[in-house]
Amino acid sequence: MGQKGEIVPLTKHIGFTLDAEENQYYEVFPNISNFESAQYFEMTNKRIEARISFIDYTQIKVSRKSFTPTEFISLKNRLMQMPEITEEIRESFRKNLTYLRTEEILENIQTGQYVSVKHQNGKWVRGTLLSYKNEKLLLQTPFAVKQIPITKMERINYREKIIQRPQWKMQFYGLAALLGFGLMESWNRQTQPAWGQQWHNRFVGAIFGLIAGAEVYDTSMILLSKKTQFGLTPSELDKINRSN
């Protein structure tokens, strides 16, 4: 018990655990990226130890920081002079604490879209998202299906929500059908087949154009949707915040 120390409250309204929203509001550990929580332990009469939990990928890691009793009391006094955090303030901070919801965010990314993943080795892997299961992303790249564990990911760029414009479908389909018809008409002029074969070619071109139109529409909706960047490491999260 002496080695573990006795847990002590920070203030009456914070209690024994400083959470991520409180840390951001009270700025207790402003330089700790991906902060999750902190607790304080009285190790001796002359030393207070803060055990700080932070998230690296989806793993919780712990660092320690020592305080003298004077430093700890000074911190308590500063916090007690500040207004208590409200639920509204908590909610406003919670929207930016995305690293606390890494699993939830990855599970909710819509499949079938083109995503970019920054690997731990610094290289980018780009492809169509097939699934996210067992802490692994499955991507269809031009040459193979690649499996990327979450522990090897540093950043992912994706579309949080795919827009839909059903009123555009007829235009996409019509233009694609006309393009297919036109390509086959050009083929007819070059090869000069029989009259019946010419109409067969035109019909086939229009059908393939309609099929392609559906793919073009889906791809266009993805590309026109707003792109989201999500960092899985403190360094990548800092880069994203600086760029924004």
Side-chain angles (χ1 to χ4, degrees):
M1 290 292 293
Q3 290 177 342
K4 292 181 179 179
E6 181 181 350
I7 188 169
V8 291
L10 190 54
T11 65
K12 183 178 179 181
H13 55 278
I14 292 176
F16 292 98
T17 302
L18 177 75
D19 61 34
E21 292 89 353
E22 291 169 337
N23 181 60
Q24 194 162 343
Y25 177 69
Y26 295 113
E27 297 184 338
V28 181
F29 299 105
N31 298 321
I32 301 293
S33 298
N34 288 14
F35 179 95
E36 193 266 337
S37 64
Q39 292 183 321
Y40 292 81
F41 295 82
E42 186 176 5
M43 307 305 292
T44 67
N45 291 334
K46 296 181 179 180
R47 186 167 72 92
I48 306 293
E49 181 181 271
R51 296 173 190 171
I52 307 158
S53 300
F54 63 95
I55 297 176
D56 191 17
Y57 300 102
T58 56
Q59 306 299 314
I60 294 181
K61 298 185 178 181
V62 178
S63 64
R64 290 171 168 79
K65 182 177 180 180
S66 293
F67 294 82
T68 65
T70 302
E71 290 172 333
F72 186 62
I73 291 171
S74 176
L75 173 62
K76 287 168 67 79
N77 289 337
R78 178 177 74 82
L79 298 180
M80 285 189 292
Q81 291 173 7
M82 294 180 65
E84 186 174 347
I85 186 171
T86 65
E87 190 55 40
E88 289 77 12
I89 295 174
R90 281 185 176 277
E91 185 61 32
S92 67
F93 286 145
R94 196 171 293 134
K95 294 175 182 178
N96 296 321
L97 299 173
T98 53
Y99 60 86
L100 297 174
R101 301 182 289 112
T102 299
E103 281 279 348
E104 177 188 344
I105 288 172
L106 293 178
E107 287 173 353
N108 289 328
I109 297 177
Q110 291 189 34
T111 58
Q113 62 170 294
Y114 190 79
V115 301
S116 304
V117 178
K118 186 178 181 182
H119 197 275
Q120 197 176 42
N121 60 17
K123 295 182 179 179
W124 285 88
V125 181
R126 296 174 174 85
T128 302
L129 177 63
L130 299 178
S131 66
Y132 173 73
K133 293 180 181 178
N134 302 321
E135 297 190 346
K136 294 177 182 177
L137 279 178
L138 207 62
L139 294 184
Q140 175 65 65
T141 68
F143 304 105
V145 174
K146 292 196 174 182
Q147 193 170 257
I148 308 174
I150 192 173
T151 53
K152 300 294 183 183
M153 295 168 53
E154 291 199 343
R155 184 193 296 195
I156 180 170
N157 298 336
Y158 67 99
R159 269 82 178 178
E160 190 171 349
K161 184 177 180 181
I162 308 301
I163 64 171
Q164 296 295 326
R165 298 288 186 271
Q167 66 273 22
W168 293 3
K169 281 187 176 181
M170 292 303 294
Q171 289 91 326
F172 274 90
Y173 290 5
L175 288 172
L178 282 173
L179 181 61
F181 184 92
L183 288 173
M184 294 310 295
E185 183 62 23
S186 176
W187 175 258
N188 285 337
R189 291 178 180 177
Q190 291 180 33
T191 58
Q192 295 184 345
W195 181 83
Q197 185 63 41
Q198 289 183 19
W199 278 103
H200 176 270
N201 292 342
R202 292 166 184 156
F203 179 76
V204 170
I207 293 297
F208 276 107
L210 286 173
I211 296 172
E215 294 295 328
V216 171
Y217 170 79
D218 291 338
T219 302
S220 298
M221 293 303 99
I222 291 172
L223 294 177
L224 291 172
S225 300
K226 183 180 178 181
K227 187 181 290 186
T228 300
Q229 299 184 85
F230 178 59
L232 284 83
T233 63
S235 60
E236 287 298 320
L237 192 63
D238 288 341
K239 290 178 185 177
I240 293 171
N241 290 336
R242 285 198 300 269
S243 65
N244 294 336

